Amino acid sequence: MKQLIWINSITLIFLTAACTTDQESTQITEDNKVESANILPYYADPTFQPHWIRNEESLADFHQIRPFQLTDQDGNEFTEKDVEGKIYIVDFFFATCGGICPKMTSNMAILQDEFIDNPEVLLLSHSVTPSIDTVEALAAYGDRNGIDSKRWKLLTGDRSEIYDLGRNYYFVEESLGLEKSEDDFLHTENFVLLDQNRRIRGIYNGINKTSVNYLIEDINTLLTN
C-alpha cells in the first residue's frame, strides 16, 4: 500500500531531500530545514512524490485540477470558479455507503467544525453513485449529518466527469498500478488537500483521526503562507 496515510511536511523534509531537482525544487540543506518546515510540497502524479517548489515560474506548467461542472446539494451549479482563491479538501463517497463512508463523513465533520468560521476553506464530497445521489438525496444526507452547505459541498453530476476528476486529477484512488476503466467502481478513503490555485498539497487517510489532525495542521500552514 502506498504511503498515503498522511503527509507531514516536517517528516518529508528528511525523506525527500534526495528526490528534489535543481529546477523544480529547492535543495533541502541544513540552512533551510527550518524554513522548509513551514511550507508544503506539491504533487503532480499518482505516486505522490513531493516537489518542493518556491519559484512561482516553476508552477506555470505544474499539475492543476482542470475546470469542472457539478451540482451541489442545494441544486446550484458548482464549478472551478467556486474554489478560486480557496483552500479545499476533497473526498469521494456515496450516501448509501455503510462501510468507510460514515467514518469519512464523521472526520470531514471535524474539519467543518474546525474551519466553520473561515470562508477561505471549503470541503467537497463527490458522489461516486451520482445516478442515485440526486440533489434531493444529498440534501437529505446533509441534514442527517449536520452538514453546512455553505462550507461543505456534496456534489453530484455526470458520472464520467466525477470519475475522471477522481482518478486522473485528484489521484485519489490507490490503484496499485492497475489500469481501471470508467466502469470500475471508485471507492477510496483518501482526503486530498488543494491550495488556492487548485494544486495538490497533500493526501491523507480519511478514516484515521491522527491523519485528519495532520491535515488540519497543513490547512493552517496554507492559510498562513
Side-chain angles (χ1 to χ4, degrees):
M1 181 176 178
K2 296 178 184 175
Q3 295 178 353
L4 299 181
I5 294 180
W6 45 264
I7 299 295
N8 181 296
S9 58
I10 297 176
T11 303
L12 285 171
I13 291 167
F14 301 97
L15 294 181
T16 64
C19 298
T20 59
T21 64
D22 292 337
Q23 294 183 348
E24 290 189 338
S25 311
T26 299
Q27 181 71 25
I28 305 302
T29 66
E30 292 295 332
D31 293 334
N32 62 23
K33 281 179 182 176
V34 174
E35 181 182 354
S36 298
N38 295 319
I39 66 172
L40 297 180
Y42 293 82
Y43 301 91
D45 59 57
T47 67
F48 278 87
Q49 177 180 329
H51 298 259
W52 299 91
I53 300 173
R54 292 194 183 95
N55 186 343
E56 288 294 324
E57 293 181 2
S58 299
L59 290 171
D61 298 316
F62 202 82
H63 179 75
Q64 186 179 44
I65 306 304
R66 65 163 174 79
F68 55 85
Q69 184 175 349
L70 299 168
T71 304
D72 69 17
Q73 69 266 46
D74 293 326
N76 299 319
E77 181 181 80
F78 192 87
T79 74
E80 75 283 352
K81 294 178 182 178
D82 293 294
V83 297
E84 185 174 347
K86 297 183 184 296
I87 295 163
Y88 66 105
I89 300 89
V90 162
D91 76 343
F92 289 76
F93 84 116
F94 57 108
T96 57
C97 170
I100 61 175
C101 297
K103 183 62 176 177
M104 292 167 63
T105 297
S106 177
N107 283 337
M108 271 287 195
I110 293 173
L111 299 178
Q112 176 181 253
D113 292 344
E114 182 73 21
F115 299 101
I116 191 68
D117 296 320
N118 193 330
E120 295 183 50
V121 180
L122 279 178
L123 309 177
L124 308 185
S125 291
H126 300 69
S127 171
V128 296
T129 58
S131 62
I132 300 172
D133 289 337
T134 61
V135 168
E136 294 76 16
L138 291 179
Y141 185 86
D143 289 341
R144 291 195 303 273
N145 289 280
I147 291 172
D148 182 344
S149 64
K150 292 181 180 179
R151 294 286 175 265
W152 185 352
K153 302 295 183 179
L154 306 178
L155 300 174
T156 188
D158 185 79
R159 187 180 188 274
S160 62
E161 171 94 336
I162 292 170
Y163 275 57
D164 181 57
L165 285 168
R167 286 190 170 131
N168 300 320
Y169 287 87
Y170 292 114
F171 310 126
V172 74
E173 187 176 58
E174 298 174 48
S175 63
L176 301 178
L178 298 176
E179 193 71 26
K180 293 200 174 184
S181 72
E182 184 185 324
D183 294 331
D184 292 314
F185 190 59
L186 194 163
H187 199 35
T188 172
E189 71 272 20
N190 292 322
F191 290 177
V192 182
L193 173 63
L194 285 298
D195 67 16
Q196 297 90 334
N197 297 301
R198 305 200 313 273
R199 291 193 169 93
I200 299 175
R201 307 303 294 275
I203 187 166
Y204 312 79
N205 187 321
I207 61 175
N208 183 296
K209 192 163 290 187
T210 298
S211 180
V212 172
N213 288 334
Y214 279 108
L215 171 53
I216 290 171
E217 290 181 11
D218 288 349
I219 294 169
N220 283 319
T221 295
L222 287 181
L223 286 169
T224 56
N225 284 305

